[in-house]
Amino acid sequence: MERQPQKQWKILEFYSGIGGLRYSVEKSGISGSVLEAFDINDRANDVYEFNFGHRPFQGNIQTLTYGDLDNYQADAWLLSPPCQPYTRQGLKKQSADARASSFLKILDLIPHMSRPPLMLFVENVVGFETSDTHGMMVEVLKKSGFVTQEFVLSPIQFGIPYSRPRYFCLAKREPVSFQNPSFNNQLLWTPTASMTQEDSKSYPNTRCEASQISCQPISNFLEIPCSSSVKDQGSLGDCSVTNFSQLAVPRSLIERWGNVMDIVYPESTRCCCFTKSYNRYVKGTGSFLATVQPNKSEALPLNDLGLRYFTPREVANLHSFPKDFQFPQHISLRQQYALLGNSVSVAVVAPLLQYLFFESYSP
């Protein structure tokens, strides 16, 4: 199938956060522009504006009407709605959770629009695909003439040493259609061949099967040299964290929670997902980096491993954010971790968008 001449796609970005979706658009090479971004989080909008020079619409998106959305004449909507209604910590109240209401409201507007989008992209946590919200979404899209292809994918499948599986829904309606229609209305757990056979060589480490993956070492994503501990302040250079004591894991925390910590080394090729609670809680919030490498013949006590937190810049690197991404100075360390924990993996989303925006038209 040959590519059509590139169209200048017009895009709306809902729940824009700190710009992960927009960075993914840029990374994918899509020819188009984000007409508007929407997010209610004031701090997230500060970061977005700092990096893109545009402040997202900060009002309640539930006040938007189908007329408001028609006025944009957007070709595609990118959405990363709140995940709390579908997580264990969020009690899995699904559509009964107030945080799900804005997403449902946006979906409900689609059938009433005179010019609904041609394409939708939705990202959320694993578990969303079994929720009643998911059922409502699929029903609205089906009635509005959309065909869907759904995925559960992790950066690990794209050569990034970061275990962060997420659910993705790609939807299209005529006259556009998917490059691989045999996957229509299916849920896939691996990338399609179209996401791995890349002309631009932007994603050389992509693999279809987890068993085939050769991930980069974590050391490739660190801003502090592997040989440095948080005590070696003189060698840290332009680290994004200026108060280095904030990186060291307190001995009291290790003694109390060491048995549930996920500890990785610079040569490790996998680390756990960093959540918005990283640096506040231990269990299930992200990995800790050992700056002291024990000999193979010895097992060092946890207190002797020089454990430290990953810096926000390192977490951003594992999210595949570009090198020029920065936080404004007034965003606190904990706020940085929280905002990153709510963001998306550019390494995963960019090839998905490339696949979604591939210009194939129905006869």
Side-chain angles (χ1 to χ4, degrees), residues 277-292:
S277 297
Y278 190 62
N279 195 247
R280 291 194 295 133
Y281 301 103
V282 172
K283 186 177 180 180
T285 63
S287 298
F288 298 85
L289 184 69
T291 60
V292 176

Side-chain angles (χ1 to χ4, degrees), residues 10 34 42 85 139 195 237 270 305 348:
K10 294 179 288 186
V34 175
D42 189 51
E139 184 66 21
M195 296 173 203
R270 179 187 294 260
L305 291 178
V348 180

Side-chain angles (χ1 to χ4, degrees), residues 1 48 119 142 159 176 210 220 240 252 257 261 292 310 314 355:
M1 182 181 295
Y48 192 104
M119 296 176 285
K142 183 178 179 180
V176 296
N220 288 4
S240 61
S252 60
W257 297 104
M261 287 181 173
V292 176
F310 282 75
E314 291 165 347
Y355 174 66

Side-chain angles (χ1 to χ4, degrees), residues 71-143:
N71 288 336
Y72 287 108
Q73 298 189 19
D75 302 300
W77 294 359
L78 313 182
L79 306 101
S80 182
C83 63
Q84 293 88 346
Y86 319 104
T87 63
R88 184 175 65 256
Q89 293 85 351
L91 303 179
K92 293 188 176 181
K93 296 173 68 175
Q94 304 182 38
S95 64
D97 192 309
R99 290 167 290 193
S101 57
S102 61
F103 177 61
L104 292 172
K105 171 63 183 300
I106 293 172
L107 290 175
D108 287 341
L109 294 177
I110 294 176
H112 303 286
M113 295 178 63
S114 60
R115 194 186 185 281
L118 292 172
M119 296 176 285
L120 265 79
F121 177 90
V122 179
E123 182 267 357
N124 215 286
V125 294
V126 175
F128 177 87
E129 75 279 7
T130 60
S131 70
D132 61 348
T133 305
H134 172 268
M136 296 175 188
M137 176 189 75
V138 171
E139 184 66 21
V140 168
L141 294 178
K142 183 178 179 180
K143 289 182 177 179

